Amino acid sequence: DDSGPDATGSYSFSYVTAVNGAPLWQRQDVVIADGKAYQLIYTADEQNYSENLYMAEAMINSFSPGGGE
């Protein structure tokens, strides 16, 4: 799933991968600011991914390159 850049120029991808044969759901956000790329990744098994996605989204949305300086 590639939602493309949002209004701030950030990208978000969601996909399923496997580690030692166990499926893991991931959301990867890439934030580009001041010539740098920041990669934020949320990974969980299927049940926990859905249950905790709201919390991961809140953390991702609160991310500020440079620590909010």
Side-chain angles (χ1 to χ4, degrees):
D1 163 9
D2 173 8
S3 59
D6 65 12
T8 67
S10 299
Y11 294 83
S12 182
F13 307 90
S14 298
Y15 51 91
V16 179
T17 189
V19 175
N20 296 328
L24 293 174
W25 277 249
Q26 291 193 322
R27 173 176 166 169
Q28 176 181 353
D29 287 66
V30 179
V31 178
I32 300 172
D34 299 324
K36 297 178 184 176
Y38 300 87
Q39 186 175 17
L40 309 166
I41 302 173
Y42 167 57
T43 304
D45 61 29
E46 182 176 18
Q47 179 179 352
N48 287 314
Y49 183 89
S50 298
E51 289 178 4
N52 297 307
L53 182 58
Y54 76 95
M55 191 179 331
E57 287 176 337
M59 289 187 286
I60 290 167
N61 292 336
S62 72
F63 175 74
S64 176
E69 297 172 359

